Amino acid sequence: MKEKNDNNSRSLKWEQNGELAQKDLSELIERLKNVESENTSYELSRLGTKSNLKD
């Protein structure tokens, strides 16, 4: 039986340098923060801030 595709899921975009596209990285971090523990969420926030400064 085929799984029903989730309308919210989509492929992640990768840059030529092999890194995840900035928008997709930010979105992924935010989604993970919503389901992880408080300590892990803090680390994800820190990672998200670092990735946003990388422009």
Side-chain angles (χ1 to χ4, degrees), residues 22-51:
Q22 184 63 43
K23 181 181 179 213
D24 286 344
L25 178 59
S26 297
E27 211 172 277
L28 177 60
I29 290 170
E30 285 303 312
R31 286 180 180 217
L32 288 171
K33 282 172 30 181
N34 290 331
V35 297
E36 291 294 337
S37 68
E38 185 176 332
N39 187 47
T40 304
S41 291
Y42 171 76
E43 290 299 317
L44 287 165
S45 294
R46 200 169 59 83
L47 175 63
T49 301
K50 183 178 177 183
S51 71

